Amino acid sequence: MAMTEAYRNAIASYGGSLIKYIGLVNTSGVELSGGGYARKAVSWTQANNGIIRPNADLLFDIPAGSTVGGWRGYSAATGGINYGGEDLTPQEYTDAGQYRLR
């Protein structure tokens, strides 16, 4: 799933002030859960070329048996508004591990 129109509009209008957390989803777009996984708080920076991006890497704990298939921007640590995000090259985790997103 590409970034939703709501996500693009939120970033264009408000920068990163609406999207306070980043979460990971599987290849079906369902957010991961269990095994210490949690959304990560995010702070934003604007590069010289105008691109707004997280100001630091986000390190996620991934439960065993999970597949990371994408990321989504959220308004809250749990629940909240899902503004969409981007699909990623799927990465399967047989054992628990960590995923670094930037």
Side-chain angles (χ1 to χ4, degrees):
M1 173 177 126
M3 283 187 260
T4 67
E5 192 65 25
Y7 179 87
R8 285 191 292 271
N9 289 340
I11 288 292
S13 297
Y14 302 101
S17 65
L18 289 180
I19 299 162
K20 299 185 182 300
Y21 293 87
I22 299 291
L24 299 177
V25 297
N26 64 23
T27 55
S28 298
V30 176
E31 188 172 11
L32 303 183
S33 64
Y37 166 81
R39 293 177 187 172
K40 298 297 180 184
V42 62
S43 296
W44 299 92
T45 188
Q46 186 169 2
N48 291 337
N49 59 5
I51 295 174
I52 297 171
R53 66 173 124 203
N55 67 358
D57 291 350
L58 302 172
L59 189 62
F60 294 88
D61 292 323
I62 306 300
S66 297
T67 299
V68 174
W71 65 268
R72 302 293 183 264
Y74 297 93
S75 62
T78 60
I81 298 169
N82 175 348
Y83 287 105
E86 289 287 334
D87 291 339
L88 301 167
T89 302
Q91 186 169 340
E92 296 180 14
Y93 287 78
T94 302
D95 299 318
Q98 292 188 316
Y99 188 90
R100 185 177 308 275
L101 181 69
R102 175 71 189 260

